[in-house]
Amino acid sequence: MNARLQAAPDQVETRNTTCYMCACRCGIRVHLKKGEVRYIEGNPEHPLNQGVICAKGASGIMKQYSPARLTQPLRRKAGAERGAGEFEPISWDEAFGLMEERLRKIRATDPKKFALFTGRDQMQALTGLFARQFGTPNYAAHGGFCSVNMAAGMIYTIGGSFWEFGGPDLDRAKLFVMIGTAEDHHSNPLKIAISKFKRRGGRFISINPVRTGYSAIADEWIPIRPGTDGALLLALTHEIINTGLYDRGFLARYSDSGHLINQDPASAQYGMPVRAGVPPKGDNPDHHHDQLWWDRHSGRAVPNHAPDADPALFGDYRLDDGTPVKPVFQLLMERVGEYTPEWAEAITGIPARRIRGLAHEMGITARDQKIELPIAWTDSWGKEHNTVTGNPVAFHAMRGLAAHSNGFHTIRTLAILMSLLGTIDRPGGFRHKAPFPRAIPPVAKPPKGPEAVQPDTPLASLALGWPAGPDDLSVDAEGGPVRIDKAFSWEYPLAVHGMMHNVITNAWRGDPYRIDTLLIFMANMAWNSTMNTVEVRKMLNDRDEQGEYKIPFLIVCDAFQSEMTAFADLVLPDTTYLERHDVMSMLDRPISEFDGPVDSVRIPVVPPKGECKPFQEVLIELASRLKFPAFVTADGARKFRDYPDFIVNYQTEPGSGIGFLAGWRGRGGEKAMVGEPNPRQWEMYEKNNCVFHHVLPRSYQYMRNWNQGYHEWAQRTRVRRYTDPIVIQIYSEVLQKFRMAAQGRGESPRRPPAHLRERIATYCDPLPFYYAPLEVQATDTVRYPLAAVTQRPMAMYHSWDSQNAWLRQIHAHNYLFINVKTASALGVADDDWVWVESPHGRVRCMCRSSEAVEPGTVWTWNAIGKAQGAWHLSPDANESQRGFLLNHMISEELQTAGGARFSNSDPVTGQAGWYDVRVRVSKAGADEPAETSPQFAPVPAAPGTSKVRKLWQAFVAGKGDYK
Amino acid sequence: MNPAFSVIFLTTLLGAGQGLFLALFVIEVRVATGLLPAPSTGFYPLGSAIAVVLLATGLLASFFHLGHPERAWRSAAMWRTSWLSREVIVLPAFMAAVAAYGWAHWQGWPGTLLIGVIGAAVCLLLFLCTAMIYACIKFLQEWATPLTLINFVLLGCASGVMLAAALAALRGEPNAFVVGLWAVLLTVAGMVSRIASLWRNARLKPRSNLQTAIGIKHPRIVQKAQGFMGGSFNTREFFHGRTPGTLRAVKWLFIAGAFVIPAALASAGLQAGAPALLVAACAVQFCGLVAERWFFFAQANHPQNLYYQAVS
Amino acid sequence: MTQLALVIDLNVCVGCHACVTSCKEWNTSGEAGFMSDDNPYDRDPTGTFFNRVQTFEVGEFPNTQTVHFPKSCLHCEDPPCVPVCPTGASYKRPEDGIVLVDYDKCIGCKYCSWACPYGVRELDEHQKVMKKCTLCVDRIYDAKLPESERKPACVLACPTSARLYGDIHDEESIVSKAIRESAGYALMPEWGTQPANHYLPRRKTEMRIHEDELERADNPLKIDGRLPKPGAKDPSLDDVTSW
């Protein structure tokens, strides 16, 4: 610092775009000095992050200029083994030629032999369209191994979920309960909200095996054993029902609590809601709303929401025809009867007294601190309300609940508990974000059978969807799976985000079939994104008797040299987020706020490095070359010049007016949500902070499951097709249909194969129940007593940043955290090398004792450990020598006693059970090397990555060293 | 603190040079007052030259401590507030005085005593500056004591006088025995004061602790992460990275090397009239003082270290 | 007299390190730069940062507090690092109280770092001068920036607004109010350095439930007849007494 201090900094150019170092997608301002990135700051005018930025976002410079950047298309050298990382550069022409030829052949013969799986689930509008147009069902993003239980469990119950779909309204909440949320979930918006909430004096309770990150600033930390959240939530439900702390008025009107369920075991409709048989006016043909209530006043069954009727929530009734029926709420009460706090204490480790107290806190806050907003609105049954009521208890939950094989039912319980408290889309509770809420289940359905896959023909539907019953499964006549990952099969009927974690194993084994080409975008399936890493790496490199690779052709698109790129036959160098156009589309998972839809764009602020090409451009180019119908004109000519052109001009149907972007539609940009393509749409976004925020009228901002005004708006703007109410499903009719199929009844002719009947009947329970995670059930927990879980640290949140010179100083390697008393009982001390062993594998690492972890749990930061040579790190870098993954100990499959193999996943949704593994810990021998195990042969730097190995660096923008 | 050899050599060499000069000056005073026989003519110039060389070497060593030695001239600027700045002024002044003193003797000029008086005053000032650089940092409690100044003076004098004695003995000067006696006495005095400071430091109660460092009043606070994993200036500069065992060993080593052995060697040398033993005493003592100075830095426990205890 | 400072609210800091990297990002290319990194892609990467976030565990399971603790130069009102500097490179600006290092005068003797009890000065291993937080002095007076953005990069970045910035000598400033109203405290008060930066402690919001809150006339269980109510035929005092 010197006298020049207060001189103005040199003139810099500033451009707005959208961050993509994680899935939050904050608005950023990028300052450029002589073409080099000088500074990346949060855009204060952006609704999502309001000017703040996280550690990763602020380190974007080091990502942009990382020496691990891939800069040219690479082909595996002839004769080189996969995984050895030996490549030769080729031109894009060659690369496209290769892909075009191969994909054209597959498409013309058997399109399902092409599989596209992406690590990014917020680009699905385009990647999903590509797969659909290709005609392959084998497509998904990473949701299956991330948090599909969270999406499915809540959407199948309340029509919305957390994160991009909805969230806690901390502006008005008084009590906030966060459960199973690592510090890497919904980063900046949640941080902003929690901070404001705490400053306003809100009470924040965190339920988590580990106290870090957000939990650190909770007013109270309730440690819980991993995988037992369902037991806690069921006990809370039990207590809330038994003390009458539920919001009866809300449940009666807005949920299925009063719906009568057929209780006649002899009836074909046993377990199904009884219906009037006369659909109400304006009904949704897919969702009939003619269930019956038992009217308390008249003492007889009436159509739901009959004028002046009030449903009985408890009781045991008989219809006029003698059919015994019970209201859903009665069934729920019966279900949770055995789930007492004392019962839960033994499972969760939380004292029963505390569970009761927690239930009382929730219930009393919801009941006694009501918010009344003077907002008039009309509900779906025509009743006019003068106010919107809020019960200010908010929740947030994420992968800690989801990544267990009992997660679906756990999360259903959470959604039910939130409903019991009357907090759905109400002030201070849970609030939806457009385009949510969706119908339960949403309308999109996966292909129904093998006949849906035809040569040279797009799929009639999207590859992913939301089954409403056995008819919607993707199964063949024998009940076998259609998809390579077996999603939507009887094994995992509601695998709505696919099951990326089983693709490689299944394709390698040829079960259900072999594929030809696997295209992986931005997913590290040879490392931290896969279970059973050691074996999966072998599978990727395994050959059949003819000497051909079991997965014949592997294309990987990534911006960096990762562990995965080493296994590719063809590597496509992606751009960074600063070098590309992108959309956060309403057709996808936009960045909407509670008050209305928000979508946004990314615009390139620096030119692509080397020959990097955005993956979107690759897809558009391939789609055009392969002449996908949506990408060519009737005479076969290319329709879209490039991705920006595609975004502006693509419409879901000719003339639909629905495109990827909702803002500035219409010829002159005068329309919102729906309208003709606007040739200047990108410009208008750019001028407006790259974001379009449509604030709904206040009367459409709440109660959107049942808000007539909102539904009409949503229909007008094509957000929804129908205007029917989205009634909370405490009792899941969808699950009951699957159960009935397993019991050999029900309307669907489809029946699960014999060996899956019991599984379906057990897990497709229409009411939530608790079971220990499947892996825990199958493990000798005396031998393997400790639960092992991971989370991402905030500074390395939601992606892999060991190539980032600043961030890797914060997390260069990782330790296994063990409760102080547990460590002392095991005789291990800080910095000791220990073996962590599960029934599936073992890892050597260093340990660190901690008072902030539940005694039965060990944990570590995920994805800090790296393979030698990957990410352009030296072979002796901390990441590979002292860093480690738990993945080596987690199997992607579980074997039943009968020898049947299943994915190590939730039996309903196929959600990967990352956090179910049980381990034991022992001190490593004194003679063992001081490095983590397993180790892998180092991979050489790929051609096109930096050749210079800097002993030190000092980044100064504008000097031209980094351009 | 992580001991830096540049500073270790700076302070030990300076101390020896100062002690040597003071020995010469005191001899001259004693000679002038008739309490000692006059040494040979070359004794003062040679002694002064050696002192200048020691001081210059010390100064040179200090340059290795600087990130920008070419800007060292700037460091005289803040003499009003900075003991380091004062040292930077006083050290060249003292070197000049010693050089003038030796030169005057060499040339047989009168007024050597006057130069000597000035030199001695500057010498004491230099002791003060050097010691106060360390003693003035109040939160380095091991240093923030008058004992630091006393030790710097006594240990500097002991090593310098030992050198004078060895020189005298080698040259067969008549005062060799007396000067040797002084050296032994100073060494013993140094040992007493240094042990006093060890005794004091062993009983120090750190005024800063994790509770005051982060402002949380709880008896059980443990750092889990210092915020980075590959080290930083704060971990490199303030931690010696040695075991307590090493520290203990160095302590006994310097007690033996700086005090016990040289005193014994010197005593034996004086009794036996063997200059070689005095030279050996000198060499051992210097090495012992290097160890002492290393320990001086290593033992100082900087409160900033409270913030840098763990990686994870 | 103005004394600019940060007030760090430990009650909301989640330890995300946004302040750490946004600081580095702003300053490495700014007037206080560069901020070098050694072994950027090798073993034990290490570099110059002006700000670090540390983690402490307080208490014993299950009564554990995890405390995230950001630390940068505290801009002491009586900064011990300033008078010891032999060249005057380390100085405290009278106009706003910011403690700075003049890189052109610094000789890299590290003495100021010895004289700082907080360990917030870092010698850049390649520029060989002492570096530290400048409170983004090249931002906060930049008239070209909108008023709302004339703040240190870390303050703008902080997602939980755990970093407040202002003049602690101005009674009405946001920082003075925070210190006053939320029990702001200084680090290592025992040394009399009077750090300008303050910290706000953890605060705990609790909920007290009175037993009678569980007994309510409008308990919905009553509507559905689930709250036990004695029947008219059940025994009562009426059966056995006659006054």
Side-chain angles (χ1 to χ4, degrees):
Chain A
M1 308 296 295
N2 54 29
R4 288 173 294 135
L5 264 184
Q6 284 172 42
D10 290 347
Q11 279 299 325
V12 290
E13 185 195 347
T14 307
R15 300 192 71 185
N16 291 328
T17 185
T18 302
C19 188
Y20 207 11
M21 284 188 61
C22 80
C24 272
R25 303 165 294 173
C26 296
I28 51 171
R29 279 191 200 153
V30 181
H31 299 246
L32 298 165
K33 192 169 173 184
K34 296 184 189 156
E36 288 175 344
V37 183
R38 156 75 179 85
Y39 182 48
I40 302 173
E41 62 181 341
N43 182 348
E45 288 162 35
H46 199 279
L48 188 85
N49 57 314
Q50 300 157 41
V52 309
I53 195 163
C54 72
K56 281 168 54 75
S59 305
I61 294 174
M62 286 294 114
K63 188 155 187 151
Q64 179 66 22
Y65 300 121
S66 162
R69 291 278 312 263
L70 297 164
T71 60
Q72 47 201 161
L74 302 172
R75 178 167 55 199
R76 187 165 50 82
K77 274 190 188 159
E81 287 293 297
R82 279 188 187 162
E86 288 178 31
F87 294 104
E88 57 191 5
I90 59 171
S91 70
W92 272 107
D93 268 352
E94 274 178 281
F96 277 123
L98 262 171
M99 289 190 285
E100 183 185 346
E101 193 195 330
R102 193 145 196 141
L103 296 186
R104 173 167 289 133
K105 209 150 77 191
I106 298 172
R107 188 163 186 261
T109 50
D110 190 358
K112 70 174 184 297
K113 290 198 172 296
F114 168 66
L116 165 59
F117 284 84
T118 98
R120 281 291 170 245
D121 54 10
Q122 292 164 328
M123 274 175 67
Q124 292 188 68
L126 178 61
T127 52
L129 176 67
F130 183 90
R132 180 179 180 178
Q133 291 277 313
F134 189 95
T136 180
N138 291 326
Y139 157 78
H142 83 270
F145 68 70
C146 182
S147 267
V148 64
N149 268 340
M150 188 50 65
M154 289 191 71
I155 290 172
Y156 273 100
T157 309
I158 61 169
S161 183
F162 288 115
W163 200 338
E164 304 108 314
F165 313 96
D169 178 13
L170 295 185
D171 258 0
R172 292 185 188 271
K174 302 266 167 53
L175 173 65
F176 176 42
V177 180
M178 181 181 261
I179 175 165
T181 307
E183 52 185 76
D184 64 343
H185 289 132
H186 206 33
S187 171
N188 285 334
L190 193 56
K191 289 181 211 151
I192 295 170
I194 291 178
S195 154
K196 285 185 182 159
F197 174 77
K198 275 190 59 104
R199 286 222 165 94
R200 277 200 350 268
R203 176 157 160 77
F204 172 19
I205 297 174
S206 172
I207 304 168
N208 201 308
V210 181
R211 183 169 207 178
T212 58
Y214 305 146
S215 299
I217 60 167
D219 293 301
E220 185 178 347
W221 171 48
I222 302 181
I224 186 170
R225 296 180 188 142
T228 67
D229 313 86
L232 171 68
L233 294 165
L234 285 164
L236 290 170
T237 306
H238 168 103
E239 183 67 12
I240 280 176
I241 293 178
N242 278 337
T243 48
L245 285 170
Y246 54 90
D247 185 336
R248 188 186 189 283
F250 179 84
L251 288 170
R253 190 158 188 86
Y254 303 118
S255 80
D256 63 354
S257 294
H259 291 186
L260 298 175
I261 304 296
N262 185 322
Q263 295 296 299
D264 177 8
S267 161
Q269 289 299 308
Y270 175 53
M272 288 295 281
V274 289
R275 296 175 178 276
V278 190
K281 213 175 82 198
D283 202 18
N284 174 346
D286 297 338
H287 292 79
H288 294 297
H289 293 277
D290 56 345
Q291 299 89 342
L292 297 182
W293 281 354
W294 189 267
D295 180 24
R296 236 167 24 90
H297 303 310
S298 59
R300 58 190 182 84
V302 298
N304 70 73
H305 295 88
D308 300 324
D310 184 37
L313 298 193
F314 293 105
D316 187 352
Y317 307 99
R318 267 183 198 277
L319 299 183
D320 292 343
D321 64 3
T323 311
V325 293
K326 281 180 184 174
V328 162
F329 204 71
Q330 168 75 26
L331 294 174
L332 177 67
M333 186 201 64
E334 290 173 12
R335 170 55 56 88
V336 300
E338 59 176 314
Y339 296 137
T340 61
E342 284 71 20
W343 164 84
E345 171 172 348
I347 295 170
T348 61
I350 304 170
R353 196 170 38 84
R354 188 67 203 93
I355 297 175
R356 286 213 163 77
L358 188 58
H360 300 165
E361 276 196 55
M362 291 173 180
I364 290 172
T365 306
R367 185 190 69 192
D368 294 351
Q369 303 204 38
K370 280 200 190 320
I371 300 165
E372 291 284 343
L373 299 182
I375 299 172
W377 66 288
T378 306
D379 73 22
S380 295
W381 300 277
K383 183 172 172 186
E384 288 174 11
H385 303 259
N386 291 325
T387 57
V388 167
T389 305
N391 299 349
V393 180
F395 291 80
H396 189 67
M398 204 32 78
R399 205 155 62 234
L401 261 59
H404 295 286
S405 53
N406 62 4
F408 178 75
H409 280 284
T410 299
I411 288 160
R412 283 251 307 136
T413 315
L414 173 64
I416 289 169
L417 176 64
M418 289 160 60
S419 304
L420 255 53
L421 294 166
T423 64
I424 306 304
D425 210 31
R426 289 172 117 187
F430 168 87
R431 294 191 52 202
H432 293 296
K433 298 174 183 174
F436 286 84
R438 312 305 299 168
I440 303 173
V443 176
K445 299 287 175 276
K448 292 191 197 320
E451 65 288 350
V453 183
Q454 296 296 336
D456 280 332
T457 312
L459 296 178
S461 64
L462 288 165
L464 298 174
W466 298 79
D471 288 342
D472 295 328
L473 290 181
S474 283
V475 288
D476 60 23
E478 286 74 47
V482 168
R483 288 172 57 103
I484 184 71
D485 58 1
K486 304 191 185 182
F488 307 116
S489 71
W490 288 104
E491 292 181 35
Y492 324 98
L494 303 185
V496 296
H497 288 170
M499 297 174 66
M500 191 167 176
H501 47 296
N502 290 106
V503 170
I504 291 170
T505 308
N506 291 359
W508 165 78
R509 190 181 285 133
D511 171 19
Y513 45 78
R514 297 267 298 263
I515 58 169
D516 178 87
T517 295
L518 175 58
L519 169 52
I520 298 268
F521 170 56
M522 233 176 142
N524 204 354
M525 299 308 289
W527 198 246
N528 57 280
S529 298
T530 199
M531 297 162 136
N532 199 6
T533 309
V534 176
E535 293 306 315
V536 164
R537 288 165 69 97
K538 288 182 195 153
M539 293 174 198
L540 287 169
N541 200 19
D542 196 21
R543 298 167 191 262
D544 60 18
E545 302 79 47
Q546 286 80 45
E548 205 198 342
Y549 280 115
K550 290 195 169 166
I551 302 172
F553 198 62
L554 196 51
I555 309 170
V556 175
C557 179
D558 208 316
F560 300 96
Q561 185 186 353
S562 70
E563 287 84 353
M564 185 64 203
T565 54
F567 287 87
D569 298 303
L570 181 62
V571 178
L572 307 175
D574 194 19
T575 60
T576 65
Y577 65 108
L578 297 177
E579 300 169 344
R580 73 207 290 160
H581 286 95
D582 241 333
V583 295
M584 299 358 106
S585 167
M586 209 55 67
L587 308 185
D588 205 324
R589 298 187 192 175
I591 55 165
S592 296
E593 294 285 317
F594 298 148
D595 62 8
V598 187
D599 68 8
S600 64
V601 303
R602 206 166 274 132
I603 55 156
V605 297
V606 286
K609 187 179 171 84
E611 293 168 42
C612 290
K613 197 180 272 297
F615 185 56
Q616 296 96 319
E617 295 290 6
V618 173
L619 292 182
I620 303 278
E621 178 70 29
L622 280 175
S624 307
R625 286 180 181 228
L626 296 171
K627 301 201 187 302
F628 291 173
F631 289 81
V632 290
T633 57
D635 53 3
R638 183 176 178 139
K639 226 181 197 172
F640 307 108
R641 193 174 56 249
D642 53 14
Y643 178 73
D645 186 43
F646 167 80
I647 289 300
V648 167
N649 290 309
Y650 173 79
Q651 296 182 68
T652 52
E653 306 287 333
S656 73
I658 307 173
F660 272 62
L661 289 173
W664 297 283
R665 299 197 69 84
R667 298 227 175 281
E670 69 287 353
K671 294 182 185 164
M673 306 302 290
V674 188
E676 315 80 83
N678 165 14
R680 294 179 54 234
Q681 196 175 24
W682 282 104
E683 248 173 83
M684 293 180 177
Y685 266 89
E686 193 174 347
K687 270 194 205 129
N688 288 279
N689 293 302
C690 291
V691 63
F692 166 72
H693 185 176
H694 182 85
V695 179
L696 292 169
R698 290 231 296 166
S699 60
Y700 299 176
Q701 289 184 12
Y702 298 94
M703 304 298 281
R704 279 165 287 194
N705 289 51
W706 325 273
N707 185 323
Q708 197 177 47
Y710 170 76
H711 287 158
E712 280 164 9
W713 173 86
Q715 190 179 46
R716 264 198 320 279
T717 53
R718 318 311 307 232
V719 172
R720 289 193 70 199
R721 179 167 295 138
Y722 303 110
T723 59
D724 61 320
I726 300 163
V727 175
I728 293 169
Q729 299 223 350
I730 290 173
Y731 188 91
S732 175
E733 204 176 315
V734 174
L735 291 175
Q736 177 62 17
K737 285 181 185 164
F738 282 103
R739 170 176 268 189
M740 284 162 74
Q743 293 165 343
R745 8 183 237 112
E747 281 160 20
S748 169
R750 284 182 159 175
R751 300 283 180 262
H755 71 285
L756 294 172
R757 273 181 206 151
E758 195 191 327
R759 180 176 159 108
I760 289 282
T762 306
Y763 296 110
C764 290
D765 191 319
L767 285 168
F769 71 110
Y770 178 77
Y771 56 97
L774 303 183
E775 165 140 29
V776 178
Q777 293 181 27
T779 305
D780 177 352
T781 50
V782 177
R783 242 167 92 83
Y784 300 99
L786 298 166
V789 298
T790 61
Q791 57 176 337
R792 291 270 170 79
M794 289 190 196
M796 289 266 187
Y797 154 62
H798 211 266
S799 64
W800 320 291
D801 292 288
S802 295
Q803 83 283 39
N804 190 308
W806 296 346
L807 295 175
R808 73 178 285 261
Q809 292 185 48
I810 299 171
H811 295 286
H813 58 270
N814 52 323
Y815 294 83
L816 187 79
F817 287 94
I818 311 180
N819 178 285
V820 171
K821 289 204 172 64
T822 311
S824 129
L826 289 166
V828 297
D830 278 7
D831 292 323
D832 275 356
W833 287 91
V834 295
W835 281 105
V836 194
E837 200 174 341
S838 83
H840 316 290
R842 63 179 201 155
V843 165
R844 185 176 53 223
C845 62
M846 279 192 284
C847 77
R848 201 31 101 253
S849 62
S850 166
E851 298 284 1
V853 56
E854 186 274 318
T857 304
V858 294
W859 74 278
T860 190
W861 296 124
N862 187 26
I864 302 299
K866 294 284 177 276
Q868 276 189 57
W871 305 94
H872 209 271
L873 298 177
S874 69
D876 69 343
N878 304 48
E879 284 83 348
S880 61
Q881 299 306 292
R882 281 181 269 169
F884 67 100
L885 295 178
L886 286 189
N887 305 49
H888 306 305
M889 300 188 296
I890 302 172
S891 177
E892 83 282 32
E893 291 185 324
L894 293 177
Q895 229 161 349
T896 62
R901 265 191 304 257
F902 289 101
S903 169
N904 179 9
S905 296
D906 189 293
V908 180
T909 61
Q911 155 89 51
W914 289 105
Y915 299 156
D916 290 341
V917 71
R918 289 294 182 272
V919 301
R920 61 181 180 204
V921 175
S922 58
K923 202 164 165 170
D927 52 339
E928 292 187 43
E931 61 174 25
T932 46
S933 171
Q935 290 286 331
F936 302 89
V939 171
T945 58
S946 175
K947 288 194 179 60
V948 192
R949 170 132 244 121
K950 284 186 182 153
L951 291 177
W952 70 278
Q953 65 182 30
F955 178 81
V956 179
K959 283 177 36 182
D961 300 345
Y962 286 85
K963 208 160 183 175
Chain B
M1 305 286 293
N2 190 10
F5 275 91
S6 49
V7 183
I8 291 174
F9 281 107
L10 166 74
T11 54
T12 48
L13 289 168
L14 249 51
Q18 287 169 269
L20 176 54
F21 168 77
L22 285 180
L24 300 179
F25 172 66
V26 172
I27 291 169
E28 188 180 359
V29 172
R30 308 277 289 181
V31 169
T33 50
L35 294 170
L36 281 179
S40 62
T41 46
F43 182 69
Y44 293 116
L46 181 61
S48 302
I50 292 172
V52 169
V53 168
L54 289 172
L55 295 169
T57 314
L59 180 61
L60 182 70
S62 76
F63 277 83
F64 288 96
H65 190 67
L66 302 184
H68 283 281
E70 78 283 2
R71 298 178 188 163
W73 58 273
R74 287 185 174 276
S75 57
M78 300 307 285
W79 56 272
R80 283 188 191 83
T81 61
S82 170
W83 284 107
L84 177 52
S85 191
R86 289 167 194 159
E87 185 193 39
V88 164
I89 295 168
V90 173
L91 174 57
F94 177 60
M95 287 168 72
V98 178
Y101 180 74
W103 184 256
H105 272 291
W106 176 252
Q107 295 298 323
W109 290 346
T112 51
L113 258 180
L114 183 63
I115 300 173
V117 168
I118 295 168
V122 177
C123 179
L124 293 177
L125 209 54
L126 182 57
F127 270 127
L128 181 69
C129 292
T130 311
M132 283 311 289
I133 288 173
Y134 307 100
C136 79
I137 303 175
K138 56 187 169 187
F139 44 80
L140 277 166
Q141 288 170 264
E142 290 84 352
W143 295 352
T145 158
L147 281 172
T148 299
L149 175 60
I150 294 169
N151 280 326
F152 268 64
V153 173
L154 286 177
L155 302 190
C157 286
S159 61
V161 174
M162 190 67 83
L163 189 56
L167 190 65
L170 279 175
R171 290 172 58 92
E173 301 289 349
N175 299 326
F177 188 83
V178 177
V179 178
L181 215 53
W182 294 349
V184 172
L185 289 175
L186 282 165
T187 301
V188 171
M191 181 161 87
V192 170
S193 79
R194 191 64 180 95
I195 286 173
S197 79
L198 286 176
W199 187 85
R200 168 189 179 270
N201 291 351
R203 277 149 193 81
L204 276 180
K205 186 174 178 300
R207 284 182 67 190
S208 293
N209 47 45
L210 268 182
Q211 283 71 20
T212 68
I214 65 170
I216 292 175
K217 307 284 174 281
H218 193 289
R220 199 196 140 84
I221 304 178
V222 182
Q223 187 177 59
K224 285 294 138 182
Q226 60 190 15
F228 52 89
M229 298 182 89
S232 74
F233 172 76
N234 308 83
T235 59
R236 291 186 290 267
E237 180 73 6
F238 298 94
F239 291 86
H240 49 73
R242 314 285 163 174
T243 60
T246 309
L247 231 63
R248 264 195 310 278
V250 173
K251 182 174 77 184
W252 289 111
L253 186 76
F254 88 69
I255 289 175
F259 308 116
V260 179
I261 298 172
L265 283 174
S267 307
L270 291 177
Q271 274 182 349
L277 287 178
L278 281 168
V279 173
C282 224
V284 170
Q285 187 166 44
F286 185 75
C287 295
L289 285 177
V290 168
E292 185 276 336
R293 212 45 50 92
W294 186 93
F295 185 87
F296 172 78
F297 287 102
Q299 197 200 19
N301 190 15
H302 201 290
Q304 77 113 39
N305 293 6
L306 290 167
Y307 296 107
Y308 301 96
Q309 295 290 328
V311 298
S312 73
Chain C
M1 202 186 74
T2 305
Q3 174 63 61
L4 296 178
L6 299 174
V7 169
I8 292 158
D9 190 350
L10 300 183
N11 194 40
V12 294
C13 175
V14 292
C16 74
H17 293 266
C19 50
V20 175
T21 57
S22 59
C23 163
K24 178 127 178 170
E25 180 194 43
W26 173 259
N27 284 301
T28 189
S29 295
E31 294 293 336
F34 53 75
M35 295 163 77
S36 62
D37 297 300
D38 278 86
N39 317 326
Y41 305 103
D42 292 77
R43 191 178 186 86
D44 290 340
T46 171
T48 307
F49 284 79
F50 296 168
N51 182 28
R52 312 272 192 179
V53 175
Q54 312 189 314
T55 307
F56 296 86
E57 282 178 9
V58 179
E60 283 177 48
F61 181 88
N63 301 309
T64 317
Q65 290 272 348
T66 302
V67 176
H68 297 296
F69 185 82
K71 180 167 70 76
S72 53
C73 172
L74 305 167
H75 300 281
C76 299
E77 304 221 34
D78 187 5
C81 54
V82 167
V84 301
C85 175
T87 68
S90 191
Y91 65 106
K92 185 173 177 70
R93 307 207 318 173
E95 65 269 36
D96 55 15
I98 301 179
V99 176
L100 290 177
V101 178
D102 183 339
Y103 293 173
D104 293 341
K105 285 188 187 164
C106 178
I107 57 171
C109 72
K110 309 176 216 172
Y111 191 32
C112 55
S113 71
W114 295 12
C116 168
Y118 305 104
V120 294
R121 292 176 161 246
E122 301 196 13
L123 185 89
D124 190 280
E125 301 291 350
H126 297 281
Q127 211 166 330
K128 295 287 182 195
V129 293
M130 194 55 72
K131 302 197 168 180
K132 60 178 285 301
C133 162
T134 70
L135 277 184
C136 285
V137 73
D138 52 349
R139 279 191 71 87
I140 57 178
Y141 294 106
D142 186 349
K144 291 198 302 305
L145 291 173
E147 181 82 42
S148 60
E149 289 172 34
R150 286 179 219 161
K151 287 180 184 168
C154 59
V155 173
L156 294 170
C158 179
T160 59
S161 324
R163 305 174 75 86
L164 311 176
Y165 159 74
D167 175 11
I168 55 162
H169 286 178
D170 172 3
E171 294 271 295
E172 291 309 305
S173 70
I174 176 175
V175 283
S176 297
K177 277 188 190 156
I179 293 169
R180 214 163 46 228
E181 290 166 11
S182 303
Y185 64 86
L187 304 184
M188 294 189 185
E190 59 273 22
W191 303 118
T193 54
Q194 300 175 57
N197 284 11
H198 282 67
Y199 287 77
L200 306 182
R202 282 275 167 86
R203 296 175 290 279
K204 193 167 175 174
T205 305
E206 286 183 278
M207 181 173 176
R208 170 126 190 255
I209 296 174
H210 301 273
E211 257 183 39
D212 54 6
E213 285 177 284
L214 286 170
E215 304 158 8
R216 280 263 299 243
D218 60 356
N219 190 321
L221 288 169
K222 270 189 193 164
I223 299 175
D224 287 291
R226 300 282 314 178
L227 267 194
K229 206 161 78 176
K233 299 242 161 69
D234 290 340
S236 81
L237 282 185
D238 293 318
D239 305 329
V240 292
T241 52
S242 56
W243 287 278

